[in-house]
Amino acid sequence: MSVTINAHQLGRLIDKVRGHIGNEYVEILHGIRIDADATHLHAVASDRFTVAAARYQLDADQQGQEPWARTIPADWLKPLREWASAHGGGDTITISTEPGRLIFGTEHTYIRIPVTDDQEFPNWRSLLGRIAANVPAKFAFPAVDSRMLARWSDTGDVLRVHVTTDLTALMVFGENFVGAQMPKRFNGVGPSGESTFEEAIAQWPTLDGNHEALADIATEMPAENMPRWEAASSIPDMVESLLQQTLRSTSDLLGAPSDEPGAVASYATAGVNAWSAYRFLAALHQADPRLAAQTVDELAEELDAGDFSESAWEIAAKAGHDPQKWSDDYEAHLKKLAEKQAAEAEQAT
């Protein structure tokens, strides 16, 4: 099983979808799927929230072959992209398979990438076909410049988008933010250069739109195999985590045995600290949303690294405090508390 493509087009396929690759916690999505059918070579990627598929039409003498697909692991994408770029854009690259390998070769050199032959991947044709089947017949279908879409990322916000009509601006809404983006004249799919949705989807006949149920990416995609604990790296996730901790600690506090003052104090402290952190985060987000997002992201890295205790010690010492005395005082407090509990237990017997 093999197909050919020039070096320039291979690079374009990779570049168009590599931003949609899933993380290492979903192994089957942590890479780019190379998918060949009877007419096209596709590069497909998904991070569970987006799905992207780019295609290249095969030469006539390669069409009609049996479909095949392999996933290039994410760690191999950079060396593959650099290898392809080292060739002239018009150089022909043959992509072929052998057991456990995907081979990219030219007349003089090749790169062999280890793959899992029977690795699963979401049925992207079915998924996108289901979504397309749910689009209303008279749906506004404006064209937008993808480079301009990137400008909205500076809001640091979750945005809502309303598509109005074909030749008028898209409305964009965020927290304390509103904007619009004008469409561009589209000179791609369609005989007139102004494509309707029906004309565009007709260019993808391999998408499977014959479905009884509507698509839901959240239920179609595999679950993340994440560690037991990972710090929240976005403001919405951090807010949810802090509020959950506040409520959980309050619940634990109410149910804690009255004869265990240490447990009561721990639950109370955890609840107070979580609520305090939430209030500070809310105030910072109100004053400077970008700084709040940056702080949460940096905090996630520090918590995941696990060395924040050492950092706290150094910061306390530089601020003129005596962290060693704090530690000694706390150890003395714990020792005194243990002695008191032991004495009370002895008296009870």
Side-chain angles (χ1 to χ4, degrees), residues 1-2 68-71 94-104 110-118:
M1 296 183 292
S2 67
W68 59 270
R70 299 289 188 277
T71 299
T94 299
I95 307 175
S96 58
T97 64
E98 68 177 26
R101 293 288 187 274
L102 191 60
I103 306 169
F104 295 78
Y110 64 88
I111 180 171
R112 300 169 75 242
I113 298 177
V115 297
T116 302
D117 294 337
D118 58 351

mmCIF file of all heavy atoms in Angstrom, residues 1-2 68-71 94-104 110-118:
data_model
loop_
_atom_site.group_PDB
_atom_site.id
_atom_site.type_symbol
_atom_site.label_atom_id
_atom_site.label_comp_id
_atom_site.label_asym_id
_atom_site.label_seq_id
_atom_site.Cartn_x
_atom_site.Cartn_y
_atom_site.Cartn_z
ATOM 1 N N MET A 1 0.854 -1.192 0.000
ATOM 2 C CA MET A 1 0.000 0.000 0.000
ATOM 3 C C MET A 1 0.884 1.233 0.000
ATOM 4 O O MET A 1 1.710 1.417 0.902
ATOM 5 C CB MET A 1 -0.906 0.007 1.234
ATOM 6 C CG MET A 1 -1.901 -1.142 1.282
ATOM 7 S SD MET A 1 -3.006 -1.058 2.704
ATOM 8 C CE MET A 1 -1.842 -1.369 4.032
ATOM 9 N N SER A 2 0.735 2.082 -1.010
ATOM 10 C CA SER A 2 1.563 3.276 -1.093
ATOM 11 C C SER A 2 0.865 4.349 -1.910
ATOM 12 O O SER A 2 -0.004 4.059 -2.743
ATOM 13 C CB SER A 2 2.925 2.954 -1.713
ATOM 14 O OG SER A 2 2.779 2.579 -3.070
ATOM 15 N N TRP A 68 -6.528 2.655 3.543
ATOM 16 C CA TRP A 68 -5.638 2.299 4.643
ATOM 17 C C TRP A 68 -5.337 3.551 5.450
ATOM 18 O O TRP A 68 -5.502 4.669 4.968
ATOM 19 C CB TRP A 68 -4.342 1.657 4.150
ATOM 20 C CG TRP A 68 -3.515 2.509 3.226
ATOM 21 C CD1 TRP A 68 -3.589 2.567 1.869
ATOM 22 C CD2 TRP A 68 -2.484 3.429 3.597
ATOM 23 N NE1 TRP A 68 -2.680 3.464 1.357
ATOM 24 C CE2 TRP A 68 -1.984 4.013 2.395
ATOM 25 C CE3 TRP A 68 -1.936 3.830 4.818
ATOM 26 C CZ2 TRP A 68 -0.968 4.969 2.397
ATOM 27 C CZ3 TRP A 68 -0.917 4.786 4.816
ATOM 28 C CH2 TRP A 68 -0.445 5.342 3.623
ATOM 29 N N ALA A 69 -4.917 3.353 6.697
ATOM 30 C CA ALA A 69 -4.638 4.499 7.565
ATOM 31 C C ALA A 69 -3.648 4.086 8.654
ATOM 32 O O ALA A 69 -3.671 2.952 9.136
ATOM 33 C CB ALA A 69 -5.924 5.026 8.195
ATOM 34 N N ARG A 70 -2.782 5.029 9.022
ATOM 35 C CA ARG A 70 -1.861 4.858 10.138
ATOM 36 C C ARG A 70 -1.743 6.206 10.859
ATOM 37 O O ARG A 70 -1.895 7.258 10.247
ATOM 38 C CB ARG A 70 -0.466 4.426 9.670
ATOM 39 C CG ARG A 70 -0.411 3.100 8.928
ATOM 40 C CD ARG A 70 -0.664 1.914 9.845
ATOM 41 N NE ARG A 70 -0.413 0.660 9.157
ATOM 42 C CZ ARG A 70 -1.281 0.040 8.355
ATOM 43 N NH1 ARG A 70 -2.467 0.599 8.124
ATOM 44 N NH2 ARG A 70 -0.976 -1.094 7.768
ATOM 45 N N THR A 71 -1.429 6.160 12.151
ATOM 46 C CA THR A 71 -1.251 7.384 12.929
ATOM 47 C C THR A 71 0.226 7.639 13.183
ATOM 48 O O THR A 71 0.925 6.781 13.727
ATOM 49 C CB THR A 71 -1.993 7.298 14.275
ATOM 50 O OG1 THR A 71 -3.386 7.124 14.031
ATOM 51 C CG2 THR A 71 -1.785 8.579 15.085
ATOM 52 N N THR A 94 7.165 9.104 -1.637
ATOM 53 C CA THR A 94 6.294 7.924 -1.609
ATOM 54 C C THR A 94 6.022 7.550 -0.159
ATOM 55 O O THR A 94 6.967 7.419 0.637
ATOM 56 C CB THR A 94 6.950 6.737 -2.335
ATOM 57 O OG1 THR A 94 7.180 7.091 -3.702
ATOM 58 C CG2 THR A 94 6.050 5.515 -2.271
ATOM 59 N N ILE A 95 4.755 7.402 0.179
ATOM 60 C CA ILE A 95 4.361 6.981 1.525
ATOM 61 C C ILE A 95 3.870 5.545 1.426
ATOM 62 O O ILE A 95 2.914 5.251 0.681
ATOM 63 C CB ILE A 95 3.252 7.875 2.094
ATOM 64 C CG1 ILE A 95 3.652 9.347 2.017
ATOM 65 C CG2 ILE A 95 2.938 7.490 3.544
ATOM 66 C CD1 ILE A 95 2.551 10.300 2.441
ATOM 67 N N SER A 96 4.518 4.644 2.141
ATOM 68 C CA SER A 96 4.160 3.229 2.079
ATOM 69 C C SER A 96 4.146 2.633 3.471
ATOM 70 O O SER A 96 4.650 3.234 4.431
ATOM 71 C CB SER A 96 5.136 2.470 1.176
ATOM 72 O OG SER A 96 6.458 2.612 1.654
ATOM 73 N N THR A 97 3.592 1.451 3.582
ATOM 74 C CA THR A 97 3.490 0.773 4.874
ATOM 75 C C THR A 97 4.234 -0.551 4.843
ATOM 76 O O THR A 97 4.395 -1.177 3.787
ATOM 77 C CB THR A 97 2.023 0.505 5.244
ATOM 78 O OG1 THR A 97 1.453 -0.400 4.297
ATOM 79 C CG2 THR A 97 1.207 1.789 5.250
ATOM 80 N N GLU A 98 4.684 -0.930 6.016
ATOM 81 C CA GLU A 98 5.169 -2.280 6.266
ATOM 82 C C GLU A 98 4.788 -2.584 7.701
ATOM 83 O O GLU A 98 4.408 -1.670 8.445
ATOM 84 C CB GLU A 98 6.681 -2.387 6.049
ATOM 85 C CG GLU A 98 7.514 -1.628 7.051
ATOM 86 C CD GLU A 98 9.013 -1.824 6.831
ATOM 87 O OE1 GLU A 98 9.425 -2.113 5.700
ATOM 88 O OE2 GLU A 98 9.760 -1.702 7.827
ATOM 89 N N PRO A 99 4.805 -3.828 8.142
ATOM 90 C CA PRO A 99 4.372 -4.130 9.506
ATOM 91 C C PRO A 99 5.091 -3.278 10.548
ATOM 92 O O PRO A 99 6.322 -3.274 10.642
ATOM 93 C CB PRO A 99 4.726 -5.617 9.654
ATOM 94 C CG PRO A 99 4.632 -6.153 8.264
ATOM 95 C CD PRO A 99 5.148 -5.051 7.380
ATOM 96 N N GLY A 100 4.299 -2.481 11.293
ATOM 97 C CA GLY A 100 4.853 -1.663 12.364
ATOM 98 C C GLY A 100 5.590 -0.434 11.907
ATOM 99 O O GLY A 100 6.220 0.247 12.729
ATOM 100 N N ARG A 101 5.509 -0.080 10.625
ATOM 101 C CA ARG A 101 6.252 1.067 10.123
ATOM 102 C C ARG A 101 5.427 1.820 9.073
ATOM 103 O O ARG A 101 4.654 1.235 8.324
ATOM 104 C CB ARG A 101 7.575 0.635 9.469
ATOM 105 C CG ARG A 101 8.593 0.050 10.422
ATOM 106 C CD ARG A 101 9.199 1.121 11.308
ATOM 107 N NE ARG A 101 10.301 0.612 12.109
ATOM 108 C CZ ARG A 101 10.158 0.022 13.281
ATOM 109 N NH1 ARG A 101 8.940 -0.144 13.787
ATOM 110 N NH2 ARG A 101 11.215 -0.397 13.962
ATOM 111 N N LEU A 102 5.647 3.135 9.046
ATOM 112 C CA LEU A 102 5.158 3.986 7.969
ATOM 113 C C LEU A 102 6.393 4.615 7.357
ATOM 114 O O LEU A 102 7.204 5.228 8.062
ATOM 115 C CB LEU A 102 4.206 5.062 8.510
ATOM 116 C CG LEU A 102 3.410 5.883 7.500
ATOM 117 C CD1 LEU A 102 2.520 4.994 6.656
ATOM 118 C CD2 LEU A 102 2.559 6.927 8.213
ATOM 119 N N ILE A 103 6.571 4.456 6.048
ATOM 120 C CA ILE A 103 7.817 4.839 5.402
ATOM 121 C C ILE A 103 7.571 5.997 4.442
ATOM 122 O O ILE A 103 6.686 5.939 3.584
ATOM 123 C CB ILE A 103 8.424 3.655 4.628
ATOM 124 C CG1 ILE A 103 8.579 2.445 5.558
ATOM 125 C CG2 ILE A 103 9.772 4.045 4.023
ATOM 126 C CD1 ILE A 103 8.926 1.175 4.832
ATOM 127 N N PHE A 104 8.358 7.064 4.619
ATOM 128 C CA PHE A 104 8.350 8.207 3.711
ATOM 129 C C PHE A 104 9.690 8.177 2.974
ATOM 130 O O PHE A 104 10.748 8.270 3.614
ATOM 131 C CB PHE A 104 8.196 9.519 4.472
ATOM 132 C CG PHE A 104 6.873 9.659 5.188
ATOM 133 C CD1 PHE A 104 6.657 9.004 6.398
ATOM 134 C CD2 PHE A 104 5.847 10.438 4.666
ATOM 135 C CE1 PHE A 104 5.444 9.127 7.069
ATOM 136 C CE2 PHE A 104 4.642 10.571 5.318
ATOM 137 C CZ PHE A 104 4.425 9.910 6.523
ATOM 138 N N TYR A 110 15.108 8.174 2.947
ATOM 139 C CA TYR A 110 13.797 7.819 3.498
ATOM 140 C C TYR A 110 13.828 7.986 5.003
ATOM 141 O O TYR A 110 14.885 8.076 5.620
ATOM 142 C CB TYR A 110 13.408 6.387 3.123
ATOM 143 C CG TYR A 110 14.315 5.320 3.706
ATOM 144 C CD1 TYR A 110 14.060 4.775 4.971
ATOM 145 C CD2 TYR A 110 15.417 4.853 2.988
ATOM 146 C CE1 TYR A 110 14.890 3.811 5.504
ATOM 147 C CE2 TYR A 110 16.256 3.891 3.523
ATOM 148 C CZ TYR A 110 15.979 3.371 4.781
ATOM 149 O OH TYR A 110 16.811 2.415 5.312
ATOM 150 N N ILE A 111 12.612 8.026 5.596
ATOM 151 C CA ILE A 111 12.467 8.054 7.039
ATOM 152 C C ILE A 111 11.408 7.025 7.403
ATOM 153 O O ILE A 111 10.328 6.993 6.809
ATOM 154 C CB ILE A 111 12.099 9.470 7.548
ATOM 155 C CG1 ILE A 111 11.962 9.477 9.070
ATOM 156 C CG2 ILE A 111 10.839 9.988 6.883
ATOM 157 C CD1 ILE A 111 11.811 10.890 9.649
ATOM 158 N N ARG A 112 11.731 6.150 8.342
ATOM 159 C CA ARG A 112 10.823 5.065 8.754
ATOM 160 C C ARG A 112 10.302 5.383 10.154
ATOM 161 O O ARG A 112 11.078 5.549 11.092
ATOM 162 C CB ARG A 112 11.547 3.721 8.729
ATOM 163 C CG ARG A 112 12.079 3.373 7.355
ATOM 164 C CD ARG A 112 13.015 2.179 7.356
ATOM 165 N NE ARG A 112 12.285 0.926 7.521
ATOM 166 C CZ ARG A 112 12.433 0.088 8.526
ATOM 167 N NH1 ARG A 112 13.260 0.405 9.526
ATOM 168 N NH2 ARG A 112 11.768 -1.042 8.580
ATOM 169 N N ILE A 113 8.993 5.457 10.285
ATOM 170 C CA ILE A 113 8.365 5.864 11.540
ATOM 171 C C ILE A 113 7.625 4.672 12.150
ATOM 172 O O ILE A 113 6.782 4.049 11.487
ATOM 173 C CB ILE A 113 7.385 7.026 11.296
ATOM 174 C CG1 ILE A 113 8.151 8.246 10.765
ATOM 175 C CG2 ILE A 113 6.625 7.370 12.565
ATOM 176 C CD1 ILE A 113 7.267 9.418 10.422
ATOM 177 N N PRO A 114 7.925 4.333 13.409
ATOM 178 C CA PRO A 114 7.197 3.230 14.053
ATOM 179 C C PRO A 114 5.743 3.604 14.320
ATOM 180 O O PRO A 114 5.460 4.691 14.831
ATOM 181 C CB PRO A 114 7.971 3.012 15.353
ATOM 182 C CG PRO A 114 8.636 4.329 15.625
ATOM 183 C CD PRO A 114 8.940 4.925 14.287
ATOM 184 N N VAL A 115 4.823 2.728 13.969
ATOM 185 C CA VAL A 115 3.398 2.956 14.172
ATOM 186 C C VAL A 115 2.750 1.686 14.693
ATOM 187 O O VAL A 115 3.330 0.602 14.621
ATOM 188 C CB VAL A 115 2.695 3.395 12.861
ATOM 189 C CG1 VAL A 115 3.240 4.717 12.362
ATOM 190 C CG2 VAL A 115 2.817 2.315 11.799
ATOM 191 N N THR A 116 1.537 1.841 15.215
ATOM 192 C CA THR A 116 0.738 0.693 15.641
ATOM 193 C C THR A 116 -0.270 0.407 14.532
ATOM 194 O O THR A 116 -1.166 1.217 14.268
ATOM 195 C CB THR A 116 0.003 0.993 16.960
ATOM 196 O OG1 THR A 116 0.971 1.337 17.960
ATOM 197 C CG2 THR A 116 -0.809 -0.212 17.421
ATOM 198 N N ASP A 117 -0.114 -0.735 13.869
ATOM 199 C CA ASP A 117 -0.907 -1.013 12.665
ATOM 200 C C ASP A 117 -2.408 -1.015 12.917
ATOM 201 O O ASP A 117 -3.183 -0.535 12.092
ATOM 202 C CB ASP A 117 -0.489 -2.361 12.063
ATOM 203 C CG ASP A 117 0.937 -2.322 11.529
ATOM 204 O OD1 ASP A 117 1.418 -1.220 11.232
ATOM 205 O OD2 ASP A 117 1.562 -3.401 11.413
ATOM 206 N N ASP A 118 -2.827 -1.564 14.048
ATOM 207 C CA ASP A 118 -4.267 -1.698 14.309
ATOM 208 C C ASP A 118 -4.783 -0.642 15.284
ATOM 209 O O ASP A 118 -5.836 -0.819 15.900
ATOM 210 C CB ASP A 118 -4.587 -3.093 14.847
ATOM 211 C CG ASP A 118 -3.826 -3.418 16.131
ATOM 212 O OD1 ASP A 118 -2.919 -2.629 16.511
ATOM 213 O OD2 ASP A 118 -4.110 -4.461 16.743
#
